[in-house]
Amino acid sequence: MATLKPDDFLDEVEKSFVRRRKCDAREPLKTGLDLGTASVVLVTLDSEGRPLAAAQRQARVVRDGLVVDFSAARALVEELKGEVEEAIGRELRETAIAIPPGTSERDTATHRYVASGAGLEVSRVLDEPEAANLVLGLANGAIVDIGGGTTGVAILKDGRVIHTFDEATGGTHLTLVLAGHYGISFEEAEAFKLDPANRRKILPLVAPVLQKIGTIIRRGLENYPVDTVHLVGGTAATAGIEKIVGLETALPVKVSSRPILATPAGIALGALPAGD
Ligand SMILES: Nc1ncnc2c1ncn2[C@@H]1O[C@H](COP(=O)(O)OP(=O)(O)OP(=O)(O)O)[C@@H](O)[C@H]1O
Ligand SMILES: [Mg+2]
């Protein structure tokens, strides 16, 4: 991302879900596909790294980085691809993808097959924290991705990931606590959680889960002293998380301006430009 600051870039990516731009027939494109536990996101940038169009769906086709419903995942990516293609007026042929650190060759291959089955050849495979850091641009420090299923800690030194640690606690667990407390379905609890009007009600109920996430982060940082913890991933948008993680880790905590978009946008930035 040559020209924009991280927050401005993420703002533009956010806008590109609705305000999409057509592109020139010959313009090289950079596309990124994020197959997450909670949602699947496709982002296409122009040759200068400016967002053209993005599309996303809530889906449960991946769990903890592993594809659990191949044909649904493939169909979904095909749908997102069609949506972005219609918006930009061009066919997409290639994409970059990202995998959680430590994903096996075989599981990585499954991610590739999902994309290629939907008509997108995988031109590059990134590590998720590396992708997020293409947006954040940290040389040293910790990036913590708190997604739907997992909390993943990545330590960066001189711009490279030198250590990772993850455990299966994320936004899904917050939703389950709310569903249990109110005696409602997962879907109802998810909607309740995401309604800004409920922010204050939620915090005391989910605080123990946020403390657990804080403990996971503290363990991930053991033996890796850092100055600041940078949070990305959708669950990083939970009100109050900054404070709780700060107390658990005794470190300053910074939440990305649009945490849910950092990884998908970074995957697109890391893509190799593809033309016709
Ligand atoms: N504004 C918000 N406030 C709180 N939680 C949110 C918000 N927006 C999204 N989430 C939660 O973030 C989670 C999804 O985040 P994200 O898209 O980063 O996960 P993912 O990449 O699909 O999952 P994973 O990385 O674990 O595979 C969901 O649990 C969702 O409920
Ligand atoms: Mg994710």
Side-chain angles (χ1 to χ4, degrees), residues 10-79:
L10 291 177
D11 260 6
E12 283 204 358
V13 174
E14 168 86 36
K15 285 184 189 134
S16 75
F17 282 89
V18 279
R19 232 183 294 147
R20 294 151 160 176
R21 290 193 287 131
K22 295 257 180 242
C23 68
D24 211 87
R26 302 225 153 265
E27 172 132 32
L29 304 175
K30 286 159 69 109
T31 298
L33 170 67
D34 187 6
L35 288 168
T37 300
S39 63
V40 177
V41 189
L42 191 68
V43 176
T44 296
L45 312 175
D46 68 17
S47 55
E48 287 169 7
R50 307 292 286 254
L52 285 165
Q56 73 102 35
R57 293 278 190 288
Q58 305 300 318
R60 298 216 221 145
V61 292
V62 171
R63 199 170 303 140
D64 302 337
L66 310 181
V67 177
V68 291
D69 189 340
F70 182 87
S71 56
R74 192 199 53 74
L76 198 67
V77 173
E78 210 166 54
E79 223 177 282

Side-chain angles (χ1 to χ4, degrees), residues 74-250:
R74 192 199 53 74
L76 198 67
V77 173
E78 210 166 54
E79 223 177 282
L80 297 178
K81 173 177 178 275
E83 210 179 288
V84 169
E85 286 177 339
E86 191 177 337
I88 65 172
R90 276 267 299 278
E91 197 186 335
L92 299 178
R93 301 220 169 94
E94 289 180 17
T95 190
I97 60 169
I99 47 159
T103 304
S104 71
E105 283 292 322
R106 193 203 276 181
D107 292 324
T108 306
T110 314
H111 280 244
R112 278 180 182 275
Y113 296 146
V114 168
S116 62
L120 289 168
E121 287 314 313
V122 174
S123 59
R124 194 171 175 205
V125 182
L126 297 132
D127 236 27
E128 283 182 352
E130 274 168 14
N133 198 39
L134 290 175
V135 176
L136 301 186
L138 305 180
N140 299 295
I143 295 185
V144 179
D145 183 348
I146 315 172
T150 32
T151 294
V153 179
I155 309 290
L156 291 136
K157 189 160 186 280
D158 302 326
R160 305 284 308 163
V161 176
I162 57 158
H163 171 70
T164 60
F165 177 84
D166 65 81
E167 255 187 43
T169 300
T172 302
H173 303 81
L174 272 71
T175 305
L176 288 172
V177 165
L178 295 174
H181 179 82
Y182 290 110
I184 53 179
S185 70
F186 183 89
E187 286 69 25
E188 287 167 330
E190 180 72 12
F192 185 87
K193 181 179 84 172
L194 298 182
D195 184 344
N198 296 325
R199 284 170 87 91
R200 277 162 186 267
K201 271 185 244 165
I202 287 167
L203 186 59
L205 299 172
V206 302
V209 187
L210 297 180
Q211 275 156 3
K212 167 131 196 257
I213 288 173
T215 314
I216 295 169
I217 299 170
R218 194 180 64 223
R219 286 221 301 281
L221 300 176
E222 260 166 33
N223 304 320
Y224 293 90
V226 295
D227 293 339
T228 308
V229 178
H230 295 265
L231 302 187
V232 299
T235 302
T238 308
I241 196 168
E242 207 171 327
K243 199 161 169 207
I244 293 181
V245 172
L247 285 171
E248 291 293 327
T249 58

